[in-house]
Amino acid sequence: LKYLRNQEAIAFCTKKDFTKWSDRNQLIKNNKYTNQETKELRTKGIPQGSPISAVLANLYMLDFDKDINELVRQHGGLYRRYSDDIVLACPVELETTVQHAITQKLAELELEAQADKTQTFLFERRNGTIQCMEKRQNAFLTNKHFSYLGFEFDGETALLKSSSLAKFYRRMKKSISAAQFHAYRNTNKTTRGELFKNRLYKRFTYLGSQRKRRHDSVPKTDWGNYLAYANKANHIMDGSKIKRQVCKHWRVFHKLMEN
């Protein structure tokens, strides 16, 4: 292993060798039962909840990633996969070819795409702007957003997913309400009714969005909050309007605190 590391090797064995070795030694077992009464384990799939599951899934999909990526890149397209979420951009005339290739390659791996979660979008320039349209059956619906990994794209601008943003504000409201409830149930008469505001400010305002090193007895790092995630996304996606999406958080926060 030391020799391989010195040679900057990125793999110590092939996928085929690893699969054969792990199957022979029964190193990987699924932790889901096919029958709860007999406690018979599944013979397919990966262990759920294990840190190595993502690695095993990526290892299993290596050939699929390589083949589909090569096919799409030949035509100037783009292929990305995060776990079981796949996004693929290609010229319109390549749509049928790519769909057939994906279906065939997944079948070779004894997998299949979930039809109810598969979406097709068309990006087309109209009147000087790029419009996003969703294909449903044989029709295209206009003014749609393409969503992927917490973001949505309308053809011109990348934004935080509206459902994720709404969840942030719901969590803010719920946490403040809970803090107010417990403050008035405080048995200490001198502090009854007083909110412990520092934690709320840290979780739901820009004051807690800065990543910083804490110098306690055990060094820790504060990784910020949802707003830190939004600010970083806004910085990476140059020209996006993500910062504008969260600019009202301070006003909403204090309005909830006053209720």
Side-chain angles (χ1 to χ4, degrees), residues 113-132:
Q114 291 182 280
D116 58 332
K117 292 186 177 181
T118 301
Q119 294 176 287
T120 302
F121 293 88
L122 174 66
F123 292 92
E124 188 174 70
R125 185 174 294 278
R126 292 184 179 181
N127 301 323
T129 61
I130 300 177
Q131 295 188 11
C132 176

Side-chain angles (χ1 to χ4, degrees), residues 139-189:
F140 284 96
L141 305 181
T142 58
N143 299 322
K144 292 295 181 178
H145 291 82
F146 162 68
S147 299
Y148 188 67
L149 300 182
F151 297 92
E152 53 189 26
F153 182 62
D154 63 359
E156 294 284 339
T157 307
L159 298 170
L160 293 172
K161 203 171 180 179
S162 54
S163 58
S164 299
L165 192 60
K167 184 178 179 180
F168 167 71
Y169 283 112
R170 285 197 303 270
R171 192 163 58 242
M172 176 194 291
K173 182 178 180 180
K174 184 177 180 180
S175 297
I176 292 176
S177 297
Q180 292 170 338
F181 174 78
H182 289 293
Y184 285 101
R185 287 176 60 100
N186 192 350
T187 56
N188 190 331
K189 294 182 179 180

Side-chain angles (χ1 to χ4, degrees), residues 86-252:
I86 295 174
V87 61
L88 191 150
C90 67
V92 177
E93 58 271 16
L94 198 65
E95 177 187 351
T96 304
T97 302
V98 170
Q99 286 183 341
H100 177 73
I102 290 177
T103 302
Q104 182 181 357
K105 293 296 181 181
L106 287 177
E108 292 175 2
L109 295 172
E110 299 184 37
L111 300 172
E112 61 180 17
Q114 291 182 280
D116 58 332
K117 292 186 177 181
T118 301
Q119 294 176 287
T120 302
F121 293 88
L122 174 66
F123 292 92
E124 188 174 70
R125 185 174 294 278
R126 292 184 179 181
N127 301 323
T129 61
I130 300 177
Q131 295 188 11
C132 176
M133 296 174 284
E134 183 180 358
K135 183 179 180 180
R136 291 188 182 176
Q137 295 180 349
N138 295 322
F140 284 96
L141 305 181
T142 58
N143 299 322
K144 292 295 181 178
H145 291 82
F146 162 68
S147 299
Y148 188 67
L149 300 182
F151 297 92
E152 53 189 26
F153 182 62
D154 63 359
E156 294 284 339
T157 307
L159 298 170
L160 293 172
K161 203 171 180 179
S162 54
S163 58
S164 299
L165 192 60
K167 184 178 179 180
F168 167 71
Y169 283 112
R170 285 197 303 270
R171 192 163 58 242
M172 176 194 291
K173 182 178 180 180
K174 184 177 180 180
S175 297
I176 292 176
S177 297
Q180 292 170 338
F181 174 78
H182 289 293
Y184 285 101
R185 287 176 60 100
N186 192 350
T187 56
N188 190 331
K189 294 182 179 180
T190 59
T191 59
R192 183 178 298 169
E194 293 184 11
L195 283 175
F196 293 97
K197 299 180 180 180
N198 287 345
R199 186 177 181 183
L200 294 172
Y201 274 104
K202 184 177 179 180
R203 290 183 62 192
F204 300 110
T205 75
Y206 73 91
L207 297 177
S209 65
Q210 301 298 320
R211 296 185 176 187
K212 57 186 178 181
R213 189 76 172 176
R214 291 170 52 188
H215 298 283
D216 299 332
S217 56
V218 179
K220 296 180 180 179
T221 300
D222 285 334
W223 294 105
N225 51 27
Y226 181 78
L227 297 173
Y229 167 78
N231 291 334
K232 184 176 181 181
N234 186 77
H235 176 73
I236 294 174
M237 300 179 187
D238 188 31
S240 72
K241 299 178 182 178
I242 292 177
K243 196 170 184 179
R244 191 181 302 175
Q245 283 184 283
V246 297
C247 66
K248 67 176 183 178
H249 80 275
W250 186 259
R251 184 170 67 252
V252 173

Side-chain angles (χ1 to χ4, degrees), residues 30-44 48:
N30 201 314
N31 58 355
K32 285 289 184 179
Y33 298 119
T34 55
N35 190 314
Q36 289 290 341
E37 295 181 359
T38 61
K39 302 298 181 182
E40 182 182 353
L41 290 171
R42 290 180 181 176
T43 57
K44 295 182 180 180
Q48 293 189 2

Side-chain angles (χ1 to χ4, degrees), residues 3-18:
Y3 170 78
L4 291 171
R5 291 194 188 97
N6 292 337
Q7 299 301 312
E8 298 183 354
I10 60 173
F12 297 158
C13 65
T14 65
K15 174 186 173 182
K16 184 178 180 180
D17 291 338
F18 175 81

